[in-house]
Amino acid sequence: MLINCAAYQEGKKLADITIAEISDYLAIPGCFVWVALRDATRDELEEMRQEFHLHELAVEDALHGHQRPKVEEYGDSLFAVMQLVEMQDGELNCGEVDVFVGHNYVLSVRNRSSHDFLGVRGRCEREPQRLKDGSGFVFYALMDAVVDRYFPVLSELEAELEIVEEHIFAKGAARSNIERLYELKRKVTELRHAVTPLLEAAGKLTGGRVPEVCARSQHYFRDVIDHLARINASLDACRDTIGTAMQVNLSMVAIEENEVNKKLAAWAGIFAVATAFAGIWGMNFKAMPELDWEFGYPMALGLIAATCGYLYYRFKRAKWL
C-alpha cells in the first residue's frame, strides 16, 4: 500500500508525485524521490524494483520479511533492515522496516507495525539545510526514528523489572515471580535481537570505507550508534538483574521449603514421643505397671502431655515452630 511519494531538490519539496512520474523526477539533476509503502505486495515491490532498478535479492528479502537487522551494499545502493518494536497490551510486537537507499531515491517498506514515519518526513522537510544532504540524511532520519522508539519499550521493561523486584521477598509469590521473570527475560531478549545486530550494522556507516550515499551524513549516524550502544548496555544490565533476581527467588523458595521441613520435623518429633509412650503403655501384659493404680491412666496422659509441651517449647525457642 502506497503511503507517500514525493520529490525533493536542494532540501525543498518539489511535489507529491505518482508512481508513473518517478522516472521523470529521477532524471532531474540534484533531485531525489522518497517513497513510503506499508505491507507491500509482490506487485508493488516489483513495480518499485523496475522504477529504482533495485537488486532482486534485496527485493526478495523485503517481500519475505522476518530478516535479521542488517545493512547491505548492492553496487552504489544500500539495503537496510530494521526491527520495529512496540509494546501493545503488555506484549512486544515486532514489525519490520526495509529501506532501499540510492543517490537519488529512498524507498521504505513497513511491515507488521502500526507505527508510521509521517513525523520523520515532517522533520526532514522542516530542516532543509540537512535535507540538502539528500537520501543519506533521510536514511539517517528513518534509522534515528526506529532507534528512538526503542527507549519507551526499554523503560517499560525496566519498570516491570522493578515491580517484580519489589515482590521478590513476598511469601507465597515465588511461582508467580519466576513466571514474570522468565516472561520479562523473553521480552528483553527480543528487544536485544533488534538492537545488537543493528548496532553492528550501523558501524559500517561511520569511519573507514563509508558507502557513498551516506558519506555526507556519517556524523549523524554516530549519534544513532551512541543511542544503540546505550540501549544495548541497559539491556545487558537488565539481563544481569533478571538473572540475579531469579537466583534470589530460587533461594527464597529453598528457604521457604526449609522452613516447612523444620515445622514438619518438629511436629513429627512431638507426635513420635507421644506415640512411643502410648505404644509402651498399650502393650497387653498382665504384670503391666500402674494397672491397679487408680491414678495410673491420668499420670500417663499427664506425662505424655508434659513431654510434648516441653518439646513444643524447645522447638518454639529454636524457631522451628
Side-chain angles (χ1 to χ4, degrees):
M1 175 181 177
L2 179 66
I3 303 299
N4 279 300
C5 183
Y8 299 85
Q9 187 178 38
E10 295 300 321
K12 296 181 180 180
K13 182 177 180 180
L14 295 180
D16 290 313
I17 62 176
T18 64
I19 294 178
E21 295 175 306
I22 289 178
S23 56
D24 296 332
Y25 280 89
L26 291 178
I28 300 176
C31 178
F32 75 91
V33 177
W34 182 358
V35 182
L37 300 177
R38 185 186 72 185
D39 298 321
T41 63
R42 180 179 289 274
D43 291 338
E44 288 174 327
L45 285 175
E46 178 60 25
E47 190 174 19
M48 292 296 107
R49 187 188 70 80
Q50 294 177 5
E51 290 289 341
F52 297 120
H53 305 288
L54 305 175
H55 197 281
E56 57 183 10
L57 293 179
V59 174
E60 282 297 315
D61 285 346
L63 181 63
H64 293 153
H66 302 285
Q67 299 293 313
R68 187 175 186 268
K70 60 183 178 180
V71 175
E72 294 181 337
E73 287 188 73
Y74 291 96
D76 59 351
S77 64
L78 284 179
F79 172 64
V81 178
M82 295 175 284
Q83 298 292 332
L84 297 171
V85 182
E86 54 190 331
M87 192 74 77
Q88 294 180 340
D89 299 325
E91 289 294 327
L92 280 185
N93 178 50
C94 293
E96 182 177 303
V97 59
D98 304 305
V99 185
F100 300 84
V101 187
H103 73 278
N104 59 352
Y105 68 86
V106 177
L107 168 63
S108 65
V109 183
R110 174 166 53 93
N111 298 306
R112 307 183 309 280
S113 177
S114 59
H115 282 178
D116 58 58
F117 292 101
L118 295 178
V120 178
R121 189 179 291 269
R123 170 195 172 186
C124 291
E125 292 176 354
R126 289 191 301 270
E127 299 178 343
Q129 292 300 320
R130 295 184 178 182
L131 195 55
K132 284 183 179 180
D133 291 337
S135 56
F137 176 75
V138 175
F139 178 35
Y140 150 74
L142 289 171
M143 183 179 288
D144 187 53
V146 170
V147 173
D148 283 347
R149 290 171 184 175
Y150 293 156
F151 283 103
V153 177
L154 176 61
S155 296
E156 289 193 41
L157 295 179
E158 289 176 336
E160 187 175 345
L161 178 57
E162 290 176 0
I163 293 173
V164 176
E165 285 185 301
E166 290 176 358
H167 294 85
I168 202 74
F169 296 106
K171 289 187 176 181
R175 182 182 180 87
S176 61
N177 285 338
I178 282 291
E179 291 176 354
R180 293 178 68 181
L181 286 170
Y182 268 102
E183 179 65 17
L184 189 57
K185 184 178 181 181
R186 181 185 64 80
K187 293 177 183 178
V188 169
T189 301
E190 286 186 19
L191 182 56
R192 197 169 187 272
H193 286 167
V195 172
T196 304
L198 186 58
L199 176 60
E200 298 173 358
K204 302 177 182 178
L205 307 177
T206 61
R209 181 190 170 276
V210 178
E212 185 178 351
V213 293
C214 299
R216 298 171 62 185
S217 302
Q218 58 177 309
H219 50 286
Y220 293 119
F221 288 103
R222 294 194 190 98
D223 182 60
V224 174
I225 291 175
D226 179 61
H227 289 173
L228 286 170
R230 286 167 51 195
I231 295 172
N232 196 53
S234 297
L235 289 174
D236 287 340
C238 281
R239 291 184 66 190
D240 292 341
T241 304
I242 290 172
T244 302
M246 285 182 175
Q247 293 178 0
V248 172
N249 195 75
L250 292 175
S251 298
M252 291 300 299
V253 171
I255 291 172
E256 289 181 4
E257 289 180 350
N258 189 43
E259 290 179 352
V260 171
N261 290 335
K262 285 181 178 179
K263 291 179 180 179
L264 293 175
W267 284 113
I270 292 172
F271 283 107
V273 171
T275 302
F277 278 118
I280 292 172
W281 274 305
M283 292 186 294
N284 295 319
F285 291 115
K286 289 183 179 181
M288 192 71 182
E290 297 96 18
L291 287 179
D292 297 327
W293 186 33
E294 61 179 319
F295 298 108
Y297 187 68
M299 184 209 70
L301 291 180
L303 182 60
I304 292 174
T307 305
C308 291
Y310 176 74
L311 290 175
Y312 179 83
Y313 166 74
R314 296 293 298 178
F315 284 129
K316 192 75 172 178
R317 285 196 61 183
K319 297 182 179 181
W320 281 40
L321 293 173

